[in-house]
Amino acid sequence: MTNRPTTVAIVGTGVIGAGWATHFLAHGFAVTATDPGEGAESRLRNWIDDNWPAVERLGLAEGASRDNLTFTTDLGAAVRDAGFIQESSPERLDVKQALIAKIESAAKAETIIASSSSGLSISEIQAGAKHPERIVLGHPFNPSHIIPLVEVCGGSLTSPDNIAKTMAFYASTGKKVIRVNKEIKGHIANRLQAAIWQEAITLVERGIASVEDIDAAISHGPGLRWALLGPFLNLHASGGAGGITHVLQHLGPAQREWARDLGKYPETDDYIESIAAGVSAELESYDFPEMLRQRDELLIQLLEAKRNRAELP
Ligand SMILES: NC(=O)c1ccc[n+]([C@@H]2O[C@H](COP(=O)([O-])OP(=O)(O)OC[C@H]3O[C@@H](n4cnc5c(N)ncnc54)[C@H](O)[C@@H]3O)[C@@H](O)[C@H]2O)c1
């Protein structure tokens, strides 16, 4: 945006809204947050306090402070002067459409409204809006104050200019922004994860390996590379001088065979019990809260380390 907004409104302060609020506060914005939930303000302030050491480690912008947060249950007051609005309300079309109508009755007509929706279509969310051209997808990943990725997509009525402005705005706050060219269920990263989960579940169902070994197959194997290079560049690296063209000519036929044999996601919930039992067995010798703490600590170290490597995309 030519004039970068100074105030961001966060509409809905659950898990994702709290992460967004932390992110924007850490980047020096004033944040006006709103949520009608019982005890929402104290929950949000506690979450931001819990999140703050992580964003301090990653580096605060000049002027960044938790004191720049204003909470109000009055939606109109929260969005009236905002230069950017991030909507993170429950994942229901009727809730989001009703919210958009209320936001539009108070916000400036040109202010971009980005929805965090994981699966709803922006074309449906913007249907009936007065200014649908400023409604856009801005899909983050949890914890959204740490994970850089944001997926941006327009609906059928979003203007290309507002998509470009949204991408530039997020990028100016340190986010890694990718463009989803066409609306599709689950956007991009969750579809890639769904492909892995589908196969992981069916490998357990087929008795090929335990839950623990399938987790290890990723976290001690390709997962280590995936945090550094994506699937295509890793494939390119596997091809030596011939790169991806060689690999696909050489291994493509085998991959096509493996792909034909991949499992399908179970149609009933019968699989849940065996997967949950596998996870319990895997966790028997670990302290799960401590596992998550160590994961998040290493995640921050990894993000810090990646910053100093100019040739990593
Ligand atoms: N949880 C995730 O991992 C994740 C990741 C990316 C995107 N998302 C998306 O983010 C959005 C929020 O998900 P979440 O996990 O934070 O849910 P959540 O249930 O933690 O939070 C939703 C919040 O919205 C509030 N709310 C209810 N009605 C409202 C209204 N009318 N106006 C404003 N706030 C209202 C609730 O009180 C609650 O605090 C969803 O669209 C979801 O698809 C979630």
Side-chain angles (χ1 to χ4, degrees), residues 141-162:
F141 278 80
N142 195 29
S144 50
H145 60 292
I146 298 178
I147 302 283
L149 184 65
V150 184
E151 297 174 320
V152 171
C153 185
S156 54
L157 301 175
T158 313
S159 74
D161 185 43
N162 280 331

Side-chain angles (χ1 to χ4, degrees), residues 12 14-16 35-37 88-91 96 99 116-118 139-140 142:
V15 175
I16 290 301
D35 190 305
S88 305
S89 68
E91 183 75 347
K96 294 204 191 276
L99 253 182
S116 299
S117 176
S118 302
H139 179 246
N142 195 29

Side-chain angles (χ1 to χ4, degrees), residues 40-305:
E41 177 172 5
S42 57
R43 208 166 35 247
L44 172 63
R45 290 189 187 278
N46 288 337
W47 258 325
I48 293 172
D49 285 345
D50 290 347
N51 293 344
W52 206 251
V55 289
E56 270 180 333
R57 279 268 310 269
L58 290 168
L60 297 178
E62 208 183 311
S65 166
R66 281 170 280 186
D67 296 342
N68 294 333
L69 173 74
T70 308
F71 185 93
T72 170
T73 51
D74 180 348
L75 174 71
V79 301
R80 192 162 295 126
D81 298 320
F84 189 87
I85 299 168
Q86 185 75 44
E87 173 280 310
S88 305
S89 68
E91 183 75 347
R92 281 183 35 199
L93 186 59
D94 57 339
V95 171
K96 294 204 191 276
Q97 283 178 334
L99 253 182
I100 295 285
K102 285 188 195 151
I103 292 171
E104 286 203 305
S105 67
K108 288 174 274 189
E110 69 279 10
T111 305
I112 288 173
I113 306 171
S115 174
S116 299
S117 176
S118 302
L120 300 173
S121 127
I122 293 298
S123 295
E124 285 179 347
I125 291 175
Q126 72 190 168
K130 271 193 275 178
H131 296 287
E133 70 284 351
R134 44 80 171 262
I135 299 171
V136 63
L137 176 79
H139 179 246
F141 278 80
N142 195 29
S144 50
H145 60 292
I146 298 178
I147 302 283
L149 184 65
V150 184
E151 297 174 320
V152 171
C153 185
S156 54
L157 301 175
T158 313
S159 74
D161 185 43
N162 280 331
I163 294 174
K165 282 181 179 163
T166 303
M167 294 182 73
F169 173 59
Y170 284 135
S172 78
T173 73
K175 288 289 187 192
K176 177 70 187 176
V177 191
I178 64 168
R179 170 79 200 265
V180 185
N181 292 328
K182 290 183 193 171
E183 289 189 280
I184 187 165
K185 282 191 178 73
H187 321 312
I188 294 172
N190 275 335
R191 290 181 72 93
L192 293 171
Q193 294 200 106
I196 292 275
W197 283 321
Q198 168 163 290
E199 186 57 12
I201 288 166
T202 57
L203 287 173
V204 174
E205 294 287 282
R206 290 161 75 172
I208 306 297
S210 65
V211 162
E212 184 170 2
D213 280 350
I214 290 170
D215 270 346
I218 293 297
S219 62
H220 291 263
L224 291 168
R225 298 190 307 210
W226 285 342
L228 305 170
L229 299 180
F232 291 122
L233 283 180
N234 273 311
L235 204 50
H236 184 57
S238 299
I244 193 158
T245 304
H246 169 69
V247 162
L248 291 179
Q249 283 167 347
H250 177 82
L251 288 181
Q255 289 189 170
R256 193 175 290 120
E257 279 301 307
W258 304 338
R260 285 196 189 113
D261 192 49
L262 291 177
K264 287 267 172 279
Y265 207 95
E267 290 297 335
T268 67
D269 284 351
D270 296 345
Y271 72 102
I272 295 176
E273 199 178 327
S274 59
I275 299 295
V279 170
S280 298
E282 183 176 0
L283 287 177
E284 257 166 32
S285 45
Y286 296 98
D287 172 350
F288 188 54
E290 178 57 16
M291 178 187 277
L292 289 187
R293 200 198 59 71
Q294 291 187 11
R295 180 199 67 172
D296 289 350
E297 187 188 324
L298 287 178
L299 194 52
I300 289 169
Q301 286 178 21
L302 180 60
L303 287 168
E304 285 173 330

